[in-house]
Amino acid sequence: MEYWHQTFDVIVIGSGFAGLSAAIEARESGASVIVLDPKGNVAGVRMLDGHGYRYPTRGTDLSIKANRAVVLSTGGFGSDIPFRTSQDPRLTEKIDTTNKPFATAEALKETLRIGATPVHLSHIQLGPWASPDEKGFGVGPVFSDYVVFLYGIVVDPATGKRFINELSDRKTLSDALFRIGHPCIGIADSGAVESRGWDLGPGLKKGVIKKFDSMEDLAAAYGVPAHELKATVDRYNSHVEDGTDREFGREVLPDASPIAQPPFFGMRLWPKVHFTMGGPDQYQGSGHNGLLLKCLVLLGSG
């Protein structure tokens, strides 16, 4: 029989929006085990009191009983490299994430262990607007997502050529970058930056975004064949003037203009894990054997 150190009506594992009015928040305290009663119903949690991702060696065992329910609201698992790689083999330690270090799958794996039904665990969204030159979400996406993809171009530094409709969805862009196999370069001119009104100062200060007086200087900095890059920019500019992207079918926005006004701006692009959309069955709370996991409430994406 389980010895309970504490008892609450409702235990919330996690601190997400879906947690609502929690009796106790256990996720950040290291909750790791869901306890079943002799009939197989969820009865509470075992946790490490005082544990945290900044203090991985700390914590004392604590068992907490839930009189009414255990609410699982732990969010996604974008920082859990072994688990996410088991769902998408591309997402190794070489791929960064926009998530916090504690976005891991321990609680999710516990629900699967006791019989919860997994749903779309391999549906992992990547952010193609991210840069490998900074950690986490960073400041670069202000430039790439809101300037480059709308009014600039993305080129493969090995060839100097475009390879994708820059207005494609996140999955299409990320898959295209992975097919290239190395970071690519997002490029826009000062006219595009000024028209969008975004402050690139933080990105320039960090060195994630770089500013150049000429396209030749940009090409040299990123190791792009200068003559190929010039030809690519010229082709893109002709598409803008014609109002039709004949290469990749990208929509030419009404206020788009040719890439011609210095200074020019560049940033390296490489996808990062952003959002894990799968998790245990939220709606039925049922196990893979068809039995109801009583007293376990599943909320959120992971």
Side-chain angles (χ1 to χ4, degrees):
M1 179 178 295
E2 185 75 22
Y3 171 77
W4 302 107
H5 296 92
Q6 299 178 29
T7 300
F8 294 90
D9 285 335
V10 177
I11 299 172
V12 175
I13 305 177
S15 56
F17 175 79
L20 303 177
S21 55
I24 183 172
E25 179 185 310
R27 173 63 181 91
E28 294 234 5
S29 296
S32 60
V33 178
I34 296 173
V35 181
L36 303 183
D37 68 16
K39 295 182 180 180
N41 300 324
V42 174
V45 299
R46 292 197 193 102
M47 59 180 284
L48 289 175
D49 188 26
H51 176 84
Y53 76 94
R54 292 189 179 94
Y55 313 106
T57 61
R58 294 186 185 179
T60 56
D61 290 336
L62 187 65
S63 295
I64 307 177
K65 181 181 179 181
N67 286 333
R68 300 182 62 184
V70 172
V71 179
L72 184 65
S73 178
T74 57
F77 52 86
S79 294
D80 196 319
I81 296 172
F83 192 82
R84 77 189 193 197
T85 305
S86 72
Q87 306 302 319
D88 185 338
R90 301 176 302 174
L91 307 182
T92 66
E93 70 282 353
K94 296 180 180 179
I95 306 299
D96 195 7
T97 178
T98 63
N99 294 184
K100 295 294 186 180
F102 49 78
T104 51
E106 291 92 347
L108 167 59
K109 288 188 285 188
E110 272 298 299
T111 66
L112 303 180
R113 182 185 66 81
I114 65 174
T117 303
V119 179
H120 302 317
L121 295 182
S122 63
H123 288 201
I124 300 175
Q125 185 186 93
L126 305 175
W129 23 252
S131 173
D133 297 322
E134 60 181 342
K135 299 295 292 181
F137 189 90
V139 296
V142 166
F143 174 61
S144 53
D145 205 18
Y146 301 135
V147 180
V148 172
F149 293 166
L150 295 173
Y151 301 108
I153 58 175
V154 178
V155 302
D156 178 354
T159 65
K161 297 179 179 179
R162 294 172 66 208
F163 55 91
I164 189 68
N165 174 349
E166 290 87 353
L167 281 175
S168 298
D169 60 74
R170 292 176 179 180
K171 176 174 172 51
T172 300
L173 284 167
S174 296
D175 288 348
L177 286 164
F178 277 149
R179 285 194 296 271
I180 293 294
H182 51 248
C184 294
I185 314 301
I187 300 170
D189 70 357
S190 58
V193 172
E194 291 168 6
S195 70
R196 295 300 293 161
W198 290 96
D199 179 14
L200 301 188
L204 290 166
K205 184 177 180 180
K206 288 181 69 175
V208 176
I209 305 168
K210 298 184 183 298
K211 182 168 69 172
F212 304 93
D213 293 330
S214 68
M215 197 62 71
E216 290 78 13
D217 290 343
L218 185 151
Y222 290 114
V224 182
H227 62 289
E228 289 291 354
L229 180 58
K230 181 180 184 306
T232 294
V233 172
D234 288 345
R235 281 195 301 273
Y236 172 77
N237 288 346
S238 70
H239 300 332
V240 172
E241 292 169 349
D242 295 342
T244 302
D245 182 351
R246 296 182 297 276
E247 286 185 286
F248 298 100
R250 168 180 164 182
E251 177 185 2
V252 177
L253 300 179
D255 56 344
S257 59
I259 301 174
Q261 182 178 333
F264 302 98
F265 298 86
M267 175 178 135
R268 295 206 308 154
L269 301 174
W270 191 242
K272 293 182 182 180
V273 175
H274 185 54
F275 179 43
T276 56
M277 294 174 278
D281 191 333
Q282 302 179 50
Y283 301 104
Q284 298 178 11
S286 63
H288 55 73
N289 54 8
L291 298 177
L292 183 66
L293 299 176
K294 295 180 180 179
C295 299
L296 180 62
V297 181
L298 306 175
L299 300 174
S301 63

